[in-house]
C-alpha cells in the first residue's frame, strides 16, 4: 500500500468522522428544541468535536493536496486551524456556563466561517487537477460561500453580545444563516468526500 493511499484512507475516515459529528450536532439541536436537555449540551459537545475534526481534516488534506496551490493551501490551513479553535472555544464556553448560548453560537458561527474559508480555498485549488468529482468540488465551493456568512458574527463576538434582542439584525439573520452551511451542508460534503477518498 502506497503512502498516498494510506494518506487518502486516513483523510477519508477523518472526513467521515467530521461529517457524522456535525450531523449528530444537528440531530441534537433538533431534539433540544423538541424535547429539551440534555440534548442542548450534547449539541454543544458535538459541534466542538466537529470543530476539532475539521482542523484534523484540514491538516491531513494539506499534506496530500498542498502542492496544487502551495500559498493558497497554507493560508487556507491557517484559517481552518484558527476556525477549529474558535469553534472549540464557543463549545467550551457554553458547556461551562461561562457565556449564554447566543454568544457561544456567535463563536461557533465565526469559527465555522473560517473553516468555510478553508473549504472554499481547498475546493478552488483542486478544481483544475480533478482529484475529486466535479459535483463534489462545486458543492464544496457553494458550502464554503454559505459558511462565510458567519463572518458577520465576528463583531458580536468582540462586543460580547449574548442576547438575540440586543444583537443587530445582520448578526441575527445574516450571520446565523451561515449555520445552514456548517450544520447541514458541510457535514454532508465531508461524508461524500470521505467516501470518495476511501475508494480512490
Amino acid at each position: 500500500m502506497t503512502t498516498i493511499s494510506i494518506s487518502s484512507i486516513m483523510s477519508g475516515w477523518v472526513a467521515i468522522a467530521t461529517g457524522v459529528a456535525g450531523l449528530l450536532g444537528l440531530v441534537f439541536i433538533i431534539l433540544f428544541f423538541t424535547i429539551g436537555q440534555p440534548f442542548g449540551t450534547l449539541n454543544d459537545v458535538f459541534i466542538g468535536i466537529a470543530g476539532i475534526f475539521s482542523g484534523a481534516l484540514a491538516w491531513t488534506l494539506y499534506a496530500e493536496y498542498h502542492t496544487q496551490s502551495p500559498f493558497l493551501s497554507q493560508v487556507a490551513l491557517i484559517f481552518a486551524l484558527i476556525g477549529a479553535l474558535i469553534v472549540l472555544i464557543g463549545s467550551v464556553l457554553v458547556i461551562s456556563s461561562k457565556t449564554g448560548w447566543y454568544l457561544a453560537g456567535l463563536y461557533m458561527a465565526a469559527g465555522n466561517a473560517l473553516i468555510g474559508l478553508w473549504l472554499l480555498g481547498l475546493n478552488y485549488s483542486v478544481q483544475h487537477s480533478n482529484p475529486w468529482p466535479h459535483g463534489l468540488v462545486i458543492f464544496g465551493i457553494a458550502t464554503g460561500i454559505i459558511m462565510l456568512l458567519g463572518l458577520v458574527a465576528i463583531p458580536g463576538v468582540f462586543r460580547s453580545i449574548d442576547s438575540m434582542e440586543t444583537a443587530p439584525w445582520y448578526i441575527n439573520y445574516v450571520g446565523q444563516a451561515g449555520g445552514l452551511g456548517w450544520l447541514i451542508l458541510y457535514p454532508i460534503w465531508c461524508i461524500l468526500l470521505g467516501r470518495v477518498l476511501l475508494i480512490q
Side-chain angles (χ1 to χ4, degrees):
M1 186 175 289
T2 66
T3 304
I4 292 176
S5 63
I6 291 171
S7 178
S8 288
I9 289 170
M10 184 172 70
S11 296
W13 283 116
V14 173
I16 289 172
T18 305
V20 169
L23 289 178
L24 283 172
L26 174 63
V27 168
F28 288 136
I29 196 65
I30 292 169
L31 290 174
F32 171 69
F33 283 117
T34 55
I35 298 172
Q37 286 290 18
F39 296 109
T41 301
L42 287 171
N43 163 259
D44 299 322
V45 168
F46 276 91
I47 289 175
I49 290 171
I52 294 168
F53 283 157
S54 291
L57 179 60
W59 185 266
T60 60
L61 290 174
Y62 175 79
E64 199 166 345
Y65 295 104
H66 73 279
T67 56
Q68 318 267 338
S69 180
F71 178 73
L72 179 62
S73 296
Q74 193 169 34
V75 171
L77 175 64
I78 292 168
F79 279 130
L81 296 177
I82 293 171
L85 178 61
I86 294 171
V87 170
L88 182 60
I89 289 170
S91 182
V92 169
L93 285 173
V94 70
I95 292 169
S96 63
S97 300
K98 300 291 186 187
T99 68
W101 65 270
Y102 189 82
L103 179 55
L106 295 183
Y107 274 89
M108 293 172 187
N112 276 297
L114 295 179
I115 293 170
L117 275 172
W118 161 75
L119 182 64
L120 184 60
L122 172 69
N123 282 279
Y124 179 80
S125 68
V126 301
Q127 67 178 334
H128 300 298
S129 56
N130 298 317
W132 308 330
H134 181 70
L136 179 64
V137 172
I138 296 303
F139 183 38
I141 290 172
T143 300
I145 290 170
I146 293 170
M147 291 171 73
L148 286 181
L149 295 174
L151 291 174
V152 178
I154 292 176
V157 171
F158 283 114
R159 291 167 52 193
S160 296
I161 296 173
D162 205 359
S163 167
M164 185 176 287
E165 290 73 26
T166 59
W169 67 269
Y170 57 88
I171 293 178
N172 279 334
Y173 299 105
V174 179
Q176 298 295 342
L180 170 65
W182 57 270
L183 277 171
I184 301 172
L185 302 178
Y186 175 61
I188 293 171
W189 179 86
C190 287
I191 291 171
L192 293 174
L193 173 68
R195 291 181 61 196
V196 168
L197 293 175
L198 289 175
I199 61 175
Q200 279 185 342

